[in-house]
Amino acid sequence: MALVDVIKYDGGPDIFAWKYPNDELGTWTQLIVAETQEALLFKGGQALDLFGPGRHTLETANIPLLNKIVNLPFGGDSPFKAEVWFVNKVASLDVKWGTPTPVQLQDPKYKIVVPVRSYGQFGVQVADSRKFLLKLIGTLPVFDKETLVRYFRGLYLTKVKDAISSYLVHKNVGILEINAYLEELSGFLQERLAPTLEEYGISLLNFFVNDISVPEDDPAVVQLKAALAKRAEMDIVGYNYTQERTFDTLEGAATNPGSMQSGLLGAGLGLGMGAGMGGMMGGQFANLSQAMNPMEGTKPCPKCKSPMPQNGRFCSVCGYDTQQEDGGDRHTITCSNCGHQYPDTVKFCPQCGEAYNPCPYCRADLPEGATTCPQCGRPLPKPCPHCGALIESEDAKFCPQCGQPLTRTCPNCHTQIQDGCKFCPECGTKLTD
């Protein structure tokens, strides 16, 4: 029977738990535990004494729990069989995680399904050595970072998919804009994952989402990016999709070798024959005639003097409403992000690219998370927490869409309060029925 003189940790830096290979221990064996470690003694599969940093002599007097179950007939000098586990309690901040395959999610803005990948890293530290060894180790000789990631892959993948889906749906964030919310997602995921890891004696120090991406060669992603690039080009040049199609049609008609001597008549007849309907030809001919003679049947915009249709209400260049009486800029929007002014006919700010979020009452651009309009001061409709339907009335106690009871808002501090409360639990304001 071999006598072990000195027992100390001999594992790598990325190992959380390491088992000493020899289980035959003699009395007076020296157990050396480093400052950032703890050692746990096992006998017959039962966890016994826990040793902190320092030098410990393994004799009966120093291991009281072992002394209760081991009969030493030779005055405490007999060797005995036991296992020694070392637990590394150094904080490990570079544990990598990632989604092995893309997660299929629907973009809430453009209603297309795109594959999403995500990766990052997190930091952990063993907080309870006994709980960590008993719940996770089992018969493994070593427990390292790869084992930790493999054990908890199902947990973090489920939480990550749920978090990204929640931000896409509830915050109405496009998949190409989700990287602006990485810090919020990281904090949200740390709060969700920490309680589960704590059950296994592990403290989650941090959790970072470094990137959320979509494959560049995916057909849906390629189509979406092409459409967004085309819309940005139209906003910069100053024309819309209908006008572009008219230009394409005119160009095609002008290069038609079978057209008649009159280019305009040939374009009109060519479009009529292509449509296969005589009645449609007249309307297309009129549209082409107007497009080729832009000043015919038009009027100047009162604001920017650009030509606009005689019966048109809004100027296609500056967005001026010809029916407004004050002659001001009531329909000129000020971007809540950069302060740039643009017409309310566009969907994105041409200066910073921020999405136009109109107030349902005065059409002012609302900052993200606003509960009242900064322009008109009216409270904004709030979504039902059960079905998502917008509810305009602040006094509504039940959702008109699904009938579920709603929470109330304190008129003083705007805290959400369950129905039935007579006083606000946050500021103490008395609530009226």
Side-chain angles (χ1 to χ4, degrees):
M1 182 179 295
L3 295 178
V4 180
D5 295 327
V6 177
I7 299 177
K8 63 180 181 178
Y9 179 78
D10 194 21
D14 294 337
I15 294 177
F16 293 101
W18 178 78
K19 177 185 175 183
Y20 190 77
N22 197 340
D23 60 354
E24 294 186 358
L25 309 179
T27 55
W28 306 306
T29 296
Q30 299 298 302
L31 175 64
I32 300 176
V33 183
E35 186 68 31
T36 58
Q37 300 171 355
E38 285 184 344
L40 188 61
L41 208 64
F42 282 80
K43 173 65 177 177
Q46 182 179 358
L48 301 176
D49 295 278
L50 184 67
F51 298 91
R55 179 186 289 269
H56 308 276
T57 302
L58 298 184
E59 56 181 334
T60 307
N62 290 338
I63 37 182
L65 293 179
L66 182 63
N67 187 32
K68 294 180 181 180
I69 64 173
V70 177
N71 183 15
L72 301 179
F74 302 104
D77 296 335
S78 174
F80 54 89
K81 284 197 173 186
E83 298 177 358
V84 178
W85 276 90
F86 287 89
V87 178
N88 188 359
K89 304 194 72 174
V90 175
S92 182
L93 303 178
D94 59 343
V95 183
K96 304 294 190 300
W97 68 268
T99 53
T101 57
V103 180
Q104 301 294 328
L105 296 175
Q106 184 181 34
D107 189 295
K109 282 191 174 181
Y110 308 109
K111 308 304 180 184
I112 62 173
V113 177
V114 291
V116 180
R117 291 190 179 100
S118 182
Y119 67 87
Q121 66 183 40
F122 59 91
V124 293
Q125 184 179 27
V126 178
D128 190 327
S129 301
R130 187 181 297 270
K131 185 186 296 185
F132 175 70
L133 289 172
L134 293 179
K135 287 196 171 186
L136 284 181
I137 303 304
T139 59
L140 293 176
V142 173
F143 192 94
D144 54 10
K145 288 182 181 179
E146 293 183 2
T147 309
L148 178 71
V149 173
R150 186 172 66 252
Y151 271 34
F152 293 102
R153 177 175 290 127
L155 172 66
Y156 69 71
L157 285 182
T158 301
K159 298 296 184 182
V160 166
K161 180 179 179 181
D162 177 69
I164 295 177
S165 301
S166 298
Y167 270 73
L168 290 177
V169 176
H170 298 302
K171 289 184 175 289
N172 196 30
V173 177
I175 192 62
L176 300 180
E177 306 167 3
I178 191 65
N179 278 311
Y181 297 84
L182 293 184
E183 185 174 357
E184 294 182 24
L185 279 169
S186 299
F188 177 80
L189 286 169
Q190 182 176 357
E191 294 178 0
R192 294 296 183 91
L193 293 171
T196 303
L197 292 178
E198 188 176 353
E199 296 178 2
Y200 296 92
I202 302 174
S203 175
L204 183 62
L205 304 179
N206 52 54
F207 192 93
F208 296 111
V209 181
N210 296 134
D211 184 55
I212 299 174
S213 60
V214 293
E216 297 292 336
D217 56 349
D218 184 79
V221 178
V222 173
Q223 185 179 6
L224 175 59
K225 288 188 175 182
L228 292 176
K230 192 65 177 179
R231 183 171 64 180
E233 178 186 354
M234 292 179 182
D235 291 339
I236 294 174
V237 176
Y239 62 91
N240 55 32
Y241 180 78
T242 303
Q243 292 172 324
E244 183 193 22
R245 296 303 300 160
T246 302
F247 299 153
D248 293 341
T249 303
L250 285 172
E251 182 179 0
T255 58
N256 183 7
S259 61
M260 301 178 66
Q261 292 181 354
S262 172
L264 179 60
L265 181 59
L269 292 176
L271 287 177
M273 294 174 64
M277 297 177 62
M280 185 180 295
M281 184 182 67
Q284 293 174 345
F285 183 81
N287 292 335
L288 291 175
S289 177
Q290 182 177 357
M292 298 186 65
N293 299 278
M295 296 305 296
E296 182 179 348
T298 62
K299 61 181 179 180
C301 171
K303 182 179 179 181
C304 66
K305 308 305 180 182
S306 299
M308 57 183 296
Q310 187 68 38
N311 298 326
R313 176 178 175 180
F314 295 93
C315 175
S316 61
V317 177
C318 66
Y320 180 77
D321 184 1
T322 58
Q323 294 184 9
Q324 65 181 17
E325 298 178 357
D326 52 8
D329 293 334
R330 184 177 60 182
H331 292 278
T332 299
I333 305 303
T334 301
C335 178
S336 62
N337 183 44
C338 66
H340 181 74
Q341 292 187 343
Y342 56 86
D344 63 351
T345 56
V346 303
K347 296 183 178 180
F348 293 86
C349 174
Q351 184 71 21
C352 66
E354 185 75 11
Y356 172 37
N357 184 21
C359 169
Y361 306 110
C362 68
R363 300 189 61 78
D365 186 27
L366 298 175
E368 183 179 357
T371 57
T372 58
C373 176
Q375 184 71 23
C376 64
R378 298 182 64 176
L380 302 176
K382 298 180 180 179
C384 172
H386 305 285
C387 67
L390 295 179
I391 304 171
E392 297 186 4
S393 176
E394 291 187 336
D395 300 328
K397 296 183 178 181
F398 297 90
C399 174
Q401 185 71 21
C402 64
Q404 293 293 329
L406 306 173
T407 57
R408 303 175 62 187
T409 303
C410 174
N412 184 37
C413 65
H414 303 289
T415 300
Q416 297 294 322
I417 307 166
Q418 294 291 338
D419 284 332
C421 297
K422 297 184 178 180
F423 293 89
C424 175
E426 184 69 22
C427 64
T429 301
K430 185 176 181 180
L431 306 175
T432 58
D433 295 333

